[in-house]
């Protein structure tokens, strides 16, 4: 069922009524907030006595703390992470911190550790969970529903609002993305003593689990989070927030995309300005102009200053170093080519060779004069300086707005170019995914090929071959039916011919769907489409496209997307232009 063919009038009226309610003065998000606090990860259950850990070929009894961390590693033995040296080293270092002195004295070499029995036990438990009976699954579903009912909602200003992530992530091993230097480190268990609660003074303060107390209780109505804590690996603050389709979240998203839309009225002037600044007598202004050119044209993140050694050696545009670029006056038939090679957000490698304007190239040569590899390329610029300049050009403008603007504009342009009115449904969806892919490439949203990719592609190709054989057989049967009907023209045989024709058409349509699916899957192998879809693409473009071409929104947006962008789903017409 297509969402756009449904009424949803009550939901739409609810959303509109929320947005039309009294707006508080600047900075105030709510006046009353009450909730039950977060749900913590269940306590660790020790392994059965017959499941043993071996060190140097001999069974060794681990204490509960060390055993729990050992199980995290054992559960990942079939993943390539556990073969990566940095992952293994980080794990072993953190694991030893959880051991007793006696355990540390014995366990000194990860290579001598045998986790096989723990891995097999984990695998067996996982399989048992997958093969639960219908009754067991129903019972679990009911238990989860009770948990959601108790902890998954809050009361905010007379409304019962859904909470997005009320469960705190259980402990485990940090994986990170790309070649993250902290992969394998232990993500410690979060306790109530780590958690700050935020609610209104006149609400019932959440009760912590028995025997525990909260780190702090705040009454800050200028923020929208309900609880927060700091995770130990990257020292990043985590939050319990409202669900994506809440009033506050919807308003924030809508405002974000409206600012990006507003940029289209200013972008030509801004581009003229930074091109003029390429020739400025002030080096800081030239550097700012070139950085802005890269942020605009290549959708680079601005980059933020970090404490040395605090996180991975990741950079953005403003924090690029001389070692991150190479200049080629001519390369592969192109003039003034810049080669970028650096680790961006989440340690994802950004590698690109792009021809640039001559003045940009000349300026880069100037910026690199008398500098070593580790020196800053833009040594007279930082992100706050750049954003302050952008604010002077347009209210609300930051480097990130450029990323949102260029991503959304790219999607809209690609959809206009790629969508063919004559295409079938699967063909149109392939066009949408290709447009989305162009944005993901622009924003450098990469992923490692899924572990099961080769097997799933082999299965898909087998289905395609089987379908081709089915079509050949159906065509043969149709030919024979036609011959028989020609020799003996009866109503019954004519019906048989029609039935065989429909069987051929149906099989050919199924083959086309499978072939489109195979193309789409192959092209998406190393591209992450969901990041741009969730964070950078104005959802109204996608909703309008679905309505214009009669494509079911469920084919483009999963339930998470539809919840997050409920405001766009119910308020966008097919004529919408970003």
């Amino acid at each position: 069922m297509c969402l756009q063919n449904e009424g949803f009038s009550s939901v739409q009226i609810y959303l509109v009524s929320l947005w039309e309610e009294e707006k508080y003065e600047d900075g105030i998000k709510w006046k009353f907030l009450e909730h039950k606090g977060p749900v913590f990860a269940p306590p660790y259950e020790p392994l059965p006595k017959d499941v043993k850990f071996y060190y140097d070929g001999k069974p060794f009894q681990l204490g509960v703390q060390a055993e729990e961390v050992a199980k995290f590693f054992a559960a990942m033995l079939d993943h390539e992470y556990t073969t990566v040296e940095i992952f293994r080293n980080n794990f072993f270092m953190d694991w030893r911190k959880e051991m007793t002195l006696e355990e540390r004295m014995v366990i000194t070499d990860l290579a001598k550790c045998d986790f096989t029995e723990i891995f097999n036990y984990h695998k067996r438990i996982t399989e048992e969970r997958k093969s639960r009976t219908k009754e067991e699954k129903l019972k679990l579903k009911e238990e989860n529903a009770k948990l959601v009912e108790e902890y998954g909602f809050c009361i905010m200003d007379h409304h019962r609002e859904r909470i997005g992530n009320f469960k705190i992530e259980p402990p485990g091993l940090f994986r990170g993305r790309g070649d993250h230097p902290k992969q394998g480190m232990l993500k410690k268990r979060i306790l109530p003593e780590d958690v700050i609660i935020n609610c209104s003074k006149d609400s019932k303060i959440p009760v912590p689990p028995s025997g525990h107390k909260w780190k702090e209780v705040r009454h800050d109505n200028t923020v929208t989070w309900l609880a927060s804590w700091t995770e130990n690996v990257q020292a990043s603050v985590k939050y319990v927030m409202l669900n994506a389709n809440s009033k506050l979240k919807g308003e924030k998203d809508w405002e974000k995309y409206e600012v990006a839309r507003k940029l289209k009225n200013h972008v030509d002037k801004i581009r003229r300005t930074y091109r003029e600044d390429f020739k400025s007598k002030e080096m800081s202004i030239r550097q700012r102009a070139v950085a802005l050119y890269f942020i605009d044209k290549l959708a680079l993140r601005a980059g933020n200053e970090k404490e040395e050694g605090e996180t991975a050696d990741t950079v953005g545009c403003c924090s690029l170093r001389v070692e991150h670029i190479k200049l080629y006056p001519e390369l592969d038939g192109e003039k003034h080519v810049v080669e970028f090679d650096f680790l961006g957000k989440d340690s994802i490698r950004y590698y690109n060779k792009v021809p640039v304007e001559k003045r940009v190239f000349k300026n880069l040569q100037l910026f690199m004069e008398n500098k070593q590899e580790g020196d800053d390329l833009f040594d007279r610029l930082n992100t706050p300086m750049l954003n302050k300049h952008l604010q002077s050009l347009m209210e609300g403008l930051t480097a990130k707005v450029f990323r949102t603007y260029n991503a959304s504009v790219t999607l809209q342009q690609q959809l206009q170019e790629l969508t063919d009115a004559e295409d079938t449904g699967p063909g149109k969806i392939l066009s949408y995914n290709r447009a989305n892919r162009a944005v993901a490439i622009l924003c450098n949203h990469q992923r490692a090929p899924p572990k099961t990719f080769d097997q799933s592609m082999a299965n898909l190709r087998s289905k395609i071959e089987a379908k081709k054989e089915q079509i050949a057989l159906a065509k043969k049967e149709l030919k024979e039916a036609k011959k028989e009907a020609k020799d003996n023209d009866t109503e019954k045989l004519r019906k048989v011919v029609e039935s065989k024709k429909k069987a051929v058409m149906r099989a050919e349509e199924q083959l086309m769907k499978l072939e489109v699916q195979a193309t789409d899957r192959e092209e998406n192998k190393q591209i992450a489409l969901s990041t741009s879809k969730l964070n950078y693409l104005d959802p109204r473009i996608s909703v309008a496209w679905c309505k214009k071409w009669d494509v079911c929104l469920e084919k483009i947006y999963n339930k998470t997307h539809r919840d997050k962008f409920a405001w766009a789903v119910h308020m966008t017409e097919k004529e919408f232009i970003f």
Side-chain angles (χ1 to χ4, degrees):
M1 181 68 70
C2 291
L3 280 176
Q4 61 262 39
N5 295 333
E6 293 290 294
F8 283 95
S9 56
S10 61
V11 178
Q12 188 166 357
I13 289 165
Y14 171 67
L15 284 168
V16 172
S17 67
L18 276 180
W19 281 34
E20 288 177 348
E21 284 182 1
E22 173 201 358
K23 295 287 191 294
Y24 300 135
E25 59 266 30
D26 282 353
I28 303 300
K29 308 294 185 186
W30 46 264
K31 291 190 175 177
F32 181 84
L33 175 61
E34 183 173 282
H35 57 94
K36 286 286 191 80
V39 171
F40 292 86
Y44 174 66
E45 291 183 18
L47 294 167
K49 294 296 180 188
D50 60 334
V51 178
K52 298 189 183 301
F53 163 76
Y54 293 84
Y55 185 74
D56 203 12
K58 298 171 187 174
F60 185 87
Q61 182 62 49
L62 293 168
V64 175
Q65 272 183 268
E67 182 186 275
E68 181 180 17
V69 181
K71 192 178 173 187
F72 298 151
F73 188 84
M76 295 175 67
L77 281 182
D78 58 349
H79 197 290
E80 63 180 15
Y81 270 114
T82 54
T83 66
V84 177
E85 186 180 2
I86 192 166
F87 187 95
R88 292 173 65 86
N89 291 343
N90 285 338
F91 158 72
F92 193 57
M93 186 168 62
D94 275 8
W95 184 30
R96 282 175 58 79
K97 291 174 189 173
E98 302 303 310
M99 294 178 187
T100 62
L101 177 60
E102 181 193 351
E103 288 166 341
R104 283 199 299 275
M105 294 288 286
V106 175
I107 302 170
T108 57
D109 185 354
L110 183 58
K112 292 181 180 179
C113 297
D114 183 354
F115 302 91
T116 309
E117 285 192 16
I118 306 177
F119 169 71
N120 291 335
Y121 171 75
H122 169 78
K123 209 170 180 182
R124 187 168 74 248
I125 294 298
T126 303
E127 290 304 318
E128 285 173 7
R129 282 176 186 154
K130 287 180 183 175
S131 57
R132 287 184 181 117
T133 63
K134 192 176 179 181
E135 291 74 21
E136 286 171 331
K137 287 178 181 175
L138 184 62
K139 186 183 176 185
L140 195 65
K141 189 177 178 181
E142 287 170 353
E143 286 171 0
N144 285 333
K146 285 179 184 174
L147 205 62
V148 170
E149 190 61 29
E150 183 174 2
Y151 292 94
F153 293 88
C154 69
I155 302 298
M156 179 179 279
D157 293 343
H158 316 298
H159 292 290
R160 191 168 182 257
E161 293 270 21
R162 181 73 189 265
I163 298 170
N165 55 331
F166 61 89
K167 289 183 180 179
I168 289 181
E169 187 182 10
L173 301 183
F174 178 70
R175 300 188 183 193
R177 295 185 187 175
D179 299 321
H180 204 290
K182 294 193 174 185
Q183 59 182 280
M185 288 179 68
L186 174 64
K187 292 189 293 181
K188 293 186 176 179
R189 181 178 295 274
I190 301 300
L191 300 172
E193 285 74 12
D194 303 311
V195 175
I196 299 170
I197 293 292
N198 194 31
C199 59
S200 56
K201 287 180 181 178
D202 52 348
S203 70
K204 292 178 188 171
I205 293 172
V207 179
S210 180
H212 292 276
K213 61 181 182 179
W214 303 120
K215 179 180 180 180
E216 185 186 339
V217 176
R218 289 185 192 170
H219 311 292
D220 186 353
N221 64 0
T222 65
V223 297
T224 56
W225 54 267
L226 286 64
S228 77
W229 60 94
T230 303
E231 61 86 28
N232 65 290
V233 175
Q234 300 194 91
S236 59
V237 181
K238 302 289 184 181
Y239 298 97
V240 171
M241 307 286 281
L242 292 176
N243 197 38
N245 63 358
S246 68
K247 175 195 172 191
L248 288 175
K249 288 275 192 177
E251 281 180 345
K252 195 174 179 182
D253 263 345
W254 176 79
E255 286 167 3
K256 177 175 88 171
Y257 292 113
E258 281 301 293
V259 170
R261 281 183 87 200
K262 185 180 165 188
L263 177 55
K264 70 180 178 182
N265 300 321
H266 298 263
V267 74
D268 289 338
K269 183 182 176 183
I270 290 170
R271 285 169 178 164
R272 283 196 303 272
T273 302
Y274 70 60
R275 281 191 172 89
E276 287 168 10
D277 287 345
F278 290 160
K279 301 172 281 185
S280 172
K281 290 179 180 178
E282 281 190 51
M283 184 64 79
S284 60
I285 293 177
R286 283 199 191 198
Q287 290 191 2
R288 188 181 69 196
V290 172
L292 191 48
Y293 171 85
F294 287 150
I295 286 166
D296 182 19
K297 296 299 178 186
L298 302 178
L300 296 186
R301 289 184 175 87
N304 293 301
E305 290 181 304
K306 302 187 292 286
E307 290 293 324
E308 194 170 331
E310 183 187 336
T311 56
D313 182 22
T314 58
V315 297
C317 186
C318 294
S319 48
L320 285 170
R321 298 191 296 271
V322 172
E323 69 201 73
H324 296 135
I325 69 167
K326 288 181 182 174
L327 304 179
Y328 300 92
E330 193 168 337
L331 184 70
D332 301 328
E334 302 264 23
K335 288 188 174 182
H336 309 121
V337 176
V338 181
E339 179 184 62
F340 293 88
D341 192 354
F342 61 89
L343 290 183
K345 186 180 177 185
D346 295 321
S347 295
I348 299 294
R349 184 188 182 198
Y350 181 91
Y351 182 78
N352 202 0
K353 290 179 183 176
V354 286
V356 299
E357 295 179 23
K358 186 177 180 180
R359 286 195 179 276
V360 171
F361 193 84
K362 293 288 185 187
N363 273 319
L364 289 171
Q365 288 178 319
L366 182 64
F367 301 161
M368 293 171 75
E369 275 181 12
N370 303 315
K371 286 184 182 176
Q372 304 300 314
E373 283 198 346
D375 293 340
D376 289 335
L377 179 66
F378 301 114
D379 56 321
R380 303 189 188 187
L381 179 72
N382 57 41
T383 303
M385 287 165 64
L386 179 66
N387 282 330
K388 186 178 179 182
H389 171 66
L390 292 175
Q391 287 279 0
S392 72
L393 300 177
M394 185 192 102
E395 187 182 354
L397 183 59
T398 64
K400 190 172 183 178
V401 175
F402 269 98
R403 199 167 162 85
T404 305
Y405 167 79
N406 282 315
S408 295
V409 165
T410 300
L411 179 71
Q412 189 163 267
Q413 288 171 346
Q414 289 289 309
L415 286 175
Q416 288 170 352
E417 290 174 20
L418 296 172
T419 309
D420 186 344
E422 303 300 315
D423 266 346
T424 59
K428 288 192 176 82
I429 291 163
L430 179 62
S431 295
Y432 180 89
N433 285 346
R434 281 178 166 160
N436 191 179
R437 194 152 42 245
V439 175
I441 291 168
L442 173 74
C443 295
N444 198 42
H445 292 151
Q446 301 178 38
R447 64 170 183 172
K451 209 167 38 169
T452 57
F453 179 79
D454 290 338
Q455 185 58 53
S456 65
M457 282 301 290
N459 293 342
L460 194 50
R461 289 190 191 101
S462 296
K463 287 180 183 178
I464 288 170
E465 290 308 311
K467 190 59 67 178
K468 285 178 178 176
E469 289 174 14
Q470 184 187 334
I471 290 170
L473 181 63
K475 283 182 174 177
K476 185 180 176 184
E477 289 177 356
L478 174 60
K479 189 176 179 182
E480 289 170 355
K482 281 181 177 178
K483 187 174 181 294
E484 193 176 344
K486 189 177 180 183
D487 296 340
N488 186 12
D489 189 16
T490 65
E491 180 66 24
K492 184 179 178 182
L493 287 175
R494 282 198 296 274
K495 283 184 177 178
V496 169
V497 170
E498 277 305 307
S499 173
K500 299 291 183 187
K501 272 184 185 175
K502 285 178 182 176
V504 170
M505 287 172 65
R506 190 163 54 248
E508 286 179 335
E509 191 176 315
Q510 289 167 345
L511 174 63
M512 189 192 71
K513 281 184 180 179
L514 287 169
E515 288 177 333
V516 166
Q517 191 180 344
T519 302
D520 202 26
R521 196 175 290 180
E522 181 64 45
E523 291 178 0
N524 278 344
K525 180 166 67 172
Q526 290 181 282
I527 300 293
L529 298 184
S530 61
T531 307
S532 51
K533 202 183 277 188
L534 268 174
N535 300 306
Y536 294 105
L537 298 175
D538 189 324
R540 293 170 292 186
I541 300 169
S542 300
V543 173
W545 181 84
C546 286
K547 289 182 176 179
K548 180 178 179 180
W549 298 106
D550 197 27
V551 174
C552 285
L553 193 63
E554 290 92 331
K555 300 288 185 183
I556 302 301
Y557 277 168
N558 61 27
K559 189 175 185 305
T560 301
H561 296 129
R562 296 196 301 271
D563 283 349
K564 179 175 171 63
F565 300 129
W567 58 272
V569 173
H570 303 297
M571 297 177 186
T572 306
E573 300 302 325
K574 63 182 179 181
E575 295 82 15
F576 174 82
I577 300 292
F578 177 75

